[in-house]
């Protein structure tokens, strides 16, 4: 029996992985259905990474998904844990170039990007209707690949105020089709 001690609670994650693996074996035996997808919902990137490290080896065929983009998911040393991770997030590391009048370095996470948008609106550099009309209604869908976070979102377009530019030109919609 593993000791239930320590500050990082990794003992809990190993027990969780073991219990899920046993439940998955039962479900597969009962009706040939097992765990196909695992969602990691929360805000702490370090907790998400610990959970991924504990569960990924036990469920190599499962689709892992989470909320809120974070650059930690793209780190090369985390590839074994984060590859093919699906992220639904209101923002990625940056805004589409159509919204910026100058180049801005990528942000660390979707919270920083949203803070930047809030600042643009507060200072009058972006109209509030643009922010609420085009960033709120549709989350971005990313998949972590060897080349970083790939945008899988369906195409959507800017308001005539922004000259009708394409905001997301991806035609890769397999995740939405699979999800539905």
């Amino acid at each position: 029996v593993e000791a239930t001690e320590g500050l990082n609670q990794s003992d809990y994650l190993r027990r969780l992985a073991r219990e899920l693996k046993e439940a998955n074996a039962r479900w597969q035996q009962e009706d040939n259905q097992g765990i196909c997808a695992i969602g990691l919902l929360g805000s702490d990137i370090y907790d998400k990474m610990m959970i991924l490290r504990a569960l990924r080896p036990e469920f190599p065929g499962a689709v892992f998904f989470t909320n809120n983009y974070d650059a930690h998911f793209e780190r090369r040393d985390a590839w074994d844990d984060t590859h093919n991770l699906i992220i639904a997030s209101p923002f990625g590391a940056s805004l589409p170039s159509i919204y910026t009048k100058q180049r801005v370095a990528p942000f660390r996470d979707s919270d920083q990007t949203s803070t930047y948008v809030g600042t643009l609106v507060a200072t009058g550099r972006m109209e509030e209707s643009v922010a609420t009309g085009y960033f709120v209604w549709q989350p971005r869908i990313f998949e972590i690949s060897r080349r970083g976070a790939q945008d899988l979102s369906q195409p959507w377009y800017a308001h005539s105020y922004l000259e009708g530019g394409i905001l997301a030109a991806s035609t890769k919609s397999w995740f939405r089709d699979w999800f539905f």
Side-chain angles (χ1 to χ4, degrees):
V1 174
E2 189 169 13
T4 56
E5 301 173 354
L7 296 176
N8 70 4
Q9 300 182 13
S10 59
D11 59 300
Y12 162 75
L13 292 173
R14 288 187 291 270
R15 284 194 308 276
L16 174 67
R18 189 171 47 250
E19 286 179 22
L20 284 175
K21 187 174 181 181
E22 290 169 3
N24 187 46
R26 272 194 323 276
W27 295 329
Q28 285 177 334
Q29 208 170 35
E30 290 171 5
D31 60 5
N32 289 336
Q33 293 290 332
I35 295 174
C36 298
I38 298 174
L40 309 171
L41 305 177
S43 59
D44 189 274
I45 182 64
Y46 300 106
D47 287 347
K48 289 180 182 182
M49 293 301 294
M50 285 178 58
I51 293 168
L52 275 170
R53 287 185 187 111
L55 297 182
R56 176 73 77 174
E58 302 298 333
F59 300 94
V63 174
F64 283 81
F65 63 94
T66 190
N67 59 326
N68 297 331
Y69 167 85
D70 194 295
H72 280 85
F73 293 133
E74 296 187 66
R75 293 176 52 177
R76 290 188 191 277
D77 60 341
W79 166 252
D80 289 342
D81 304 315
T82 63
H83 69 279
N84 301 116
L85 176 68
I86 302 296
I87 305 167
S89 180
F91 298 99
S94 60
L95 296 178
S97 60
I98 195 167
Y99 283 113
T100 56
K101 297 192 183 347
Q102 62 187 23
R103 295 207 183 261
V104 178
F107 296 103
R108 187 186 72 212
D109 59 31
S110 57
D111 290 340
Q112 289 183 348
T113 311
S114 67
T115 300
Y116 177 68
V117 169
T119 303
L120 290 175
V121 170
T123 58
R125 295 185 180 267
M126 179 185 288
E127 289 185 23
E128 186 176 350
S129 62
V130 171
T132 58
Y134 299 100
F135 291 125
V136 175
W137 70 273
Q138 180 174 344
R140 312 303 307 142
I141 305 292
F142 301 96
E143 179 183 14
I144 300 299
S145 75
R146 290 194 188 277
R147 295 184 313 270
Q150 301 299 308
D151 191 346
L152 303 179
S153 305
Q154 291 182 346
W156 50 296
Y157 303 89
H159 188 270
S160 60
Y161 166 76
L162 297 168
E163 301 164 6
I166 297 174
L167 295 181
S170 173
T171 58
K172 301 172 188 168
S173 61
W174 71 267
F175 179 71
R176 287 179 192 265
D177 295 341
W178 174 84
F179 187 71
F180 289 112

